[in-house]
Amino acid sequence: MSIKCLIVRFRRDLDDHEAERTIDALMMITGIIMLLSVAAGDEEDLNRQRVKREQRDKILALLGEE
């Protein structure tokens, strides 16, 4: 198998300084020619909150504490 691209997702949003250091470190890896950054926005935060709420509801349903 041959891999052309990898997508990396961070556990949390990085501030500008952390993002710059991470990009610099990744660019040192042989063969990397391009990195794209995606800014976190309100929609991302809303999606995270929705997922947390859905997971909480599922756990409460399993425990019978709806």
Side-chain angles (χ1 to χ4, degrees), residues 4-57:
K4 182 177 184 174
C5 176
L6 295 174
I7 298 174
V8 177
R9 183 167 181 106
F10 298 108
R11 288 185 187 147
R12 61 176 179 77
D13 297 342
L14 302 179
D15 63 31
D16 290 341
H17 182 66
E18 291 173 311
E20 184 178 326
R21 289 189 342 223
T22 302
I23 290 168
D24 289 345
L26 289 170
M27 289 303 292
M28 290 182 197
I29 298 172
T30 302
I32 292 184
I33 59 170
M34 178 177 58
L35 292 171
L36 299 173
S37 60
V38 177
D42 293 336
E43 185 176 329
E44 180 74 18
D45 188 47
L46 291 173
N47 286 334
R48 288 178 187 163
Q49 290 177 23
R50 179 186 52 78
V51 169
K52 285 180 184 178
R53 185 178 61 250
E54 289 173 357
Q55 293 299 316
R56 183 199 67 215
D57 292 347

